[in-house]
Structure formats: C-alpha cells, structure tokens
Amino acid sequence: MHVDLIVKNANVLTMDDNCPTADAFAVLGDRIVAIGEVTALRADRVLDLAGATVVPGFGDAHNHMAWYGLSLDEIDLGACTELTELYRLVGERAAQLPGDAFVIGSGYDHTKLGGHPHRTELDRVAGGRPVWLTHRSGHMCSVNSETLRLTGVLGGSAVVPEGGEVVRDSDGEPTGLLEEQAQNLVVSLVTPYSLDLLTSAVSRASARFAAQGLTHVTEAGIGAGWLGKSPLELAAYQQAIEQGTLDVRVQLMPTIDALHPVQGHADDPMTLGLDLGMRSGFGDDRLRLGPVKMWLDGSLLGRTAAMNEPFCHDTRHGYLQDDPDKMRDALIAAHVGGWRVAAHAIGDRAIDFALGVFEEAQRRHPRPDIRHRIEHAGVTSTAQVQRMAALGVTPLPQIRFLHDIGDAMVAAVGPERRDSLYRHASFLHAGLRVPGSSDRPVADGAPLAAIESMVTRLTSTGALVGPDERVDVFTALRAYTLDTAWIAGEEHRRGSLTPGKLADFVVLGDDITVIDPTRISATEVVATFLGGECMHGADRLGG
C-alpha cells in the first residue's frame, strides 16, 4: 500500500484504549490508516522523529477566538500591576491616534491594579478621545467621560440593558465602570466590525493556536450578544478558510440572540432557530455549528456571578443576565429545535437555574445523548455535581483559571468555599467527562499550561486550591484530546490517533507523562499537523 506520510521512531501516545502506545503510524489523505506496524507500507514522505513524543491534536472546548485575535491589535493591559502604568499605556496609544478614534485596550485585572481605572484619569491621558478598556473577565469594562457621553450615560439618555449596571460613586456620578450587559452601550458604538477585520483577527489567532498544538477549537459565541462583533461573523471563518489562513478546525456557538422565531409545518417542533433549519452539527470537518450559547450570569472576579450566598466580606449575591422566565423559554425552545445548549453559569445559583431548565426541557421533550453543557461551572456543591451526572449535563470548568486568577477567586468566595471552585476530580468520580477549555483570552489558552494546572492546581502564588480535585497527567491529556472531541459530538472523527480518524497530531519536545508536572507548561510544541499537513514547525522537521 502506498501512503502519503509515515511517522516512525516516535513515542506515540494514542489516547486509544485498544492501542495506547505505538512507535509509528501512517497517513493517507487526511486520515490515519495504520498504527504500529508500517514496514509493509511505502510513503511519499517518511518522518523519523528519533524518539520524540506524539499526541493527538489538542482541542479547546471553550475559547473566544475572534475576541482574542482582535485583542492582539489592542493595548495589552494584562501585565499591568499599577494604575499609573495602565494610564501611561493608554496615553501613549492615544497620542498615536486621530482625535476622534477610540483608544481600545484589553485584559486589565483590577485585583492586580488595586482598583478599576477611573474615568477622570482616563480623560486626563486620552486627549479628548473615547476610551474603552475591557476587563480580563470580559464581564466588565472601564471607559472615560467621552465614551459615557457618546453612550448617553452622561446626559441621561442611555437605557441600561437588563442584567447590567453603570457603577456610580457615593455622589451618584458614574465612575466609568460598566458591568455585564451595560457594556453593550459601548459595543454598539464600535460594532459591527468589518468582515475583513474579523477575518484578519481569526487568522492571527489561528496561527497562535497552531503554534501551541491546537488543532480544534470551539468559539464560544458568535453573531450577537455582548461582544456584538458582526451578524456576518461566520463568514469571517469561511473567508479565512478560502484565504488559507485558518490553521485549526473550528466549531461555532451562535449566541441565543442570533436565533429568531422560525415558522414551519405544524408538525415540526422548531420555533426558534436559524434560517433553513440549520442547527448544531451543520457543517464539515473544518467549520461546524456547535451548541447555542446563553450567558446566565457574570463572573467571580467582578462579583457578578449569581450566588446562593453572598460573596466574601460583601453583601452582593451577583445577578442573572436577564429575566429568568425569558431565559427559560429561550433555552427550552432551543432544546426543542434540535440545538445543543451551552449555558454560561459560574455561580451556584445560576447553575441551579440551568439544571432546572435542562431537567424541564428533557421532561417535556426527551432527547437522548443531547450533551447539553454548563460553561465554567465555577462554584458547585456536591449535590449539584450529582445532579449534573443524573441529568447528563457536562461541566466545562477552566482549570487554568486557578493559576492565572485563582487567588482573586478564592478571595471572592472565601476559604469555606475554595474547594468548590472549578472542580475536576469530583466531576469524574460522579461519572461525568470534563473536556479541556481555556476561555481565552480570559486565561492563558495554551493547552500544556492547562494540563499542568489540572495536575497541580496551583495559583500563581503557589497556593493549592482543591487538592482532592487534582488528576493525573493522562486524565488531563484525555481532557484536551478525546474529551474535547466527545463534547463536540466528533469523537468518531478525531481525539485519538486511531485508524480512520483525522490525522491531527502534535510533536512535543518532552514526554509530559514522565517529566516533573511543574515543567509541563514549558514543554516545546515542536510541530502541529492538521489532517496530515504541517501547520506549525515545518522548519524544525526539515521542511
């Protein structure tokens, strides 16, 4: 048999229980056709890896690809540890822009800065230009007076959307901080973005992803919602494919706001959907529709997540993003219409709400193996874990949060609830799967960094959060390979190095299953292959 590629002399970790390890495999077209014995095969190209480790391509089941790509052109505020430093960067960027241009930055963390940027200080450095700075959580932003004037907040004409808040000081004056849905007041001023701009953003993000070993990602919200990027957003991904700049496979989550009433035959159950009856699963191996996304609550950092008990040293319980009856009706209609549902729920009160809706939806319209999901599942009780398992609802916690923002999260919930943060082992013990995901750009999106955090659960200061929630490296690797494929409904096409599946694989500079776990994040991604084609690292492999 003649094949296109033979990989030999490798330490292949297949993630296939029927053949866990191998030293060689063969690729024909975009598929793996043989694992192990390949001596009888002939190939156009033979790749001798001299003992290097190969794993299936990594997946990320929840990231914000276009948002991340756009942020690469904005002021990077993630490293700022003082407000004076942030104001300096804003002033430097403002001086480079026309007088009426928006000064846009992203990634600031008020817990590191000692507070949120204030509008009057932003006025001082912006030279009259409007300023929009997105918090790293994506659930808050800080703006200056000119932006508040443009939105109508200054002047009293703004209508603040339900599920959002314009934060004011003791005198009733806006500070410049906008929470949750109130951010849409600013978003409406700068969106929709052009198709070419979004395509460029997606392409930039794609190149970064491939360099980190990612071969499949799920974009967690397109078409509408608080990001409000463009009603044509799906076309940006199509255009990137046509231009040859999309280096990963992508599943797209339309937001619930992108769906609209549809009218078909009286016997057809769909009442809320996309035109022509498109729903979860439509597409191909490069670009496919995934679940519909709905934000139910906010964030722990902003203390806007809907909690059953108040935040630590606080009286606030957070809040839901919209009227509960309206959200319940929309989620049930999406379920009935054939959509998988991804419900953003971080606080335990929001999780209770989501589980109640999923239970009602299945009782009224049973759909076996639907794979509804709870995005983040940030604070969960043991009873909620068991309820998820009973309902077959999959949690998607971002374990890398513990390293990047874990100390601030512990401060928000207090020591009594710290071990309920972003569980992992408890979900597995209950019989659930825990697909790997990052919520990039909220946290570091590198899969190897997340795998390390799944094993160690250390914050950036070295604190251990939830020691009983740690997992072994094979479990963490499975989360970022086979389990990310499973939650997408594509476990028969990818996720393991198995004959018949897509030839998506990564060559690593070390065997992460045997090195010190604290070194996993520093492991080099030597090369990344998508369907047998090298998307990153060709120069390291001799072309």
Side-chain angles (χ1 to χ4, degrees):
M1 180 178 177
H2 191 90
V3 296
D4 296 314
L5 172 67
I6 288 176
V7 178
K8 67 177 186 178
N9 293 331
N11 172 34
V12 184
L13 307 179
T14 67
M15 304 310 296
D16 182 343
D17 291 341
N18 294 318
C19 178
T21 61
D23 61 2
F25 60 94
V27 176
L28 178 63
D30 64 354
R31 304 279 168 163
I32 294 172
V33 292
I35 288 282
E37 182 56 57
V38 296
T39 55
L41 304 178
R42 297 294 177 265
D44 293 331
R45 185 181 176 204
V46 177
L47 186 60
D48 189 329
L49 291 182
T53 295
V54 175
V55 297
F58 297 125
D60 187 334
H62 181 118
N63 93 112
H64 299 279
M65 187 173 185
W67 175 22
Y68 173 66
L70 288 166
S71 74
L72 296 176
D73 270 351
E74 299 167 356
I75 310 169
D76 183 0
L77 304 174
C80 291
T81 57
E82 296 180 351
L83 282 168
T84 53
E85 182 183 6
L86 179 146
Y87 295 137
R88 177 181 62 80
L89 292 174
V90 171
E92 289 176 354
R93 177 62 63 90
Q96 302 169 6
L97 298 173
D100 60 347
F102 260 88
V103 184
I104 302 177
S106 59
Y108 84 85
D109 186 339
H110 72 291
T111 65
K112 295 180 180 179
L113 297 171
H116 294 278
H118 196 277
R119 70 176 173 103
T120 57
E121 285 299 302
L122 294 174
D123 294 343
R124 179 180 60 82
V125 298
R129 299 168 182 83
V131 178
W132 178 30
L133 309 180
T134 304
H135 190 268
R136 72 175 302 164
S137 68
H139 288 265
M140 301 175 282
C141 68
S142 290
V143 301
N144 69 341
S145 299
E146 177 61 14
T147 305
L148 291 176
R149 184 189 68 79
L150 292 171
T151 62
V153 170
L154 290 183
S157 63
V159 177
V160 180
E162 186 169 359
E165 183 177 347
V166 175
V167 177
R168 299 178 183 272
D169 61 22
S170 57
D171 296 324
E173 292 296 316
T175 65
L177 179 62
L178 306 177
E179 293 182 350
E180 302 299 343
Q181 296 297 324
Q183 295 180 99
N184 279 321
L185 296 171
V186 186
V187 171
S188 64
L189 298 175
V190 297
T191 61
Y193 295 120
S194 72
L195 181 59
D196 285 345
L197 177 62
L198 284 175
T199 302
S200 177
V202 166
S203 299
R204 284 195 302 271
S206 172
R208 296 282 185 100
F209 292 177
Q212 295 174 338
L214 285 163
T215 57
H216 185 278
V217 299
T218 295
E219 160 66 79
I222 67 164
W226 66 265
L227 286 172
K229 294 184 286 293
S230 170
L232 306 177
E233 193 169 350
L234 189 151
Y237 291 86
Q238 290 180 298
Q239 185 163 287
I241 291 175
E242 292 162 0
Q243 294 177 354
T245 58
L246 191 66
D247 298 334
V248 295
R249 307 183 194 279
V250 181
Q251 184 180 76
L252 300 169
M253 288 187 194
T255 68
I256 197 81
D257 299 324
L259 273 57
H260 56 78
V262 293
Q263 186 65 49
H265 191 275
D267 291 341
D268 297 330
M270 180 179 289
T271 60
L272 188 70
L274 296 178
D275 291 333
L276 304 178
M278 289 185 294
R279 58 178 176 82
S280 301
F282 179 81
D284 59 23
D285 287 330
R286 292 302 303 277
L287 190 63
R288 192 182 302 276
L289 286 178
V292 64
K293 169 77 176 292
M294 176 175 248
W295 282 268
L296 299 183
D297 70 343
S299 72
L300 290 178
L301 285 188
R303 302 196 175 201
T304 55
M307 303 287 288
N308 286 318
E309 299 295 332
F311 287 97
C312 187
H313 305 302
D314 205 332
T315 59
R316 292 175 294 176
H317 290 70
Y319 47 86
L320 296 175
Q321 292 277 300
D322 205 341
D323 176 73
D325 290 336
K326 179 181 176 182
M327 293 193 296
R328 177 183 292 106
D329 290 346
L331 288 181
I332 290 176
H335 167 90
V336 172
W339 289 91
R340 298 196 305 276
V341 175
H344 167 116
I346 291 180
D348 50 4
R349 181 158 61 96
I351 292 168
D352 280 336
F353 176 80
L355 293 175
V357 175
F358 287 143
E359 184 174 23
E360 180 181 353
Q362 287 283 37
R363 183 173 64 252
R364 291 167 55 179
H365 304 278
R367 292 182 62 198
D369 197 29
I370 184 58
R371 302 185 193 182
H372 290 325
R373 328 158 23 140
I374 291 184
E375 309 303 299
H376 310 302
V379 182
T380 52
S381 67
T382 299
Q384 287 176 326
V385 173
Q386 296 299 326
R387 192 178 180 195
M388 286 183 203
L391 294 173
V393 174
T394 301
L396 277 94
Q398 289 71 44
I399 311 300
R400 188 61 183 179
F401 279 1
L402 298 179
H403 177 273
D404 290 4
I405 49 179
D407 291 315
M409 287 182 168
V410 170
V413 302
E416 297 82 4
R417 290 178 287 186
R418 64 179 293 154
D419 289 348
S420 67
L421 284 170
Y422 292 88
R423 296 183 181 224
H424 194 166
S426 292
F427 291 132
L428 297 175
H429 294 331
L432 293 162
R433 300 174 83 146
V434 183
S437 65
S438 70
D439 202 23
R440 189 198 314 243
V442 177
D444 184 349
L448 289 170
I451 288 171
E452 178 179 306
S453 288
M454 289 176 170
V455 178
T456 65
R457 294 185 66 89
L458 296 175
T459 72
S460 60
T461 61
L464 177 59
V465 179
D468 293 339
E469 299 295 339
R470 290 176 289 188
V471 300
D472 63 82
V473 69
F474 276 103
T475 300
L477 182 58
R478 179 187 175 92
Y480 262 89
T481 53
L482 195 55
D483 288 342
T484 57
W486 174 84
I487 193 60
E490 298 179 0
E491 67 271 27
H492 302 301
R493 289 192 288 269
R494 57 182 179 84
S496 65
L497 300 178
T498 303
K501 289 191 178 183
L502 292 161
D504 299 349
F505 60 93
V506 180
V507 182
L508 298 177
D510 251 321
D511 183 346
I512 62 173
T513 66
V514 299
I515 63 174
D516 184 330
T518 61
R519 291 176 46 211
I520 293 175
S521 62
T523 300
E524 181 186 10
V525 175
V526 177
T528 303
F529 285 76
L530 189 76
E533 296 295 324
C534 190
M535 313 306 286
H536 162 75
D539 55 327
R540 298 290 309 277
L541 301 175

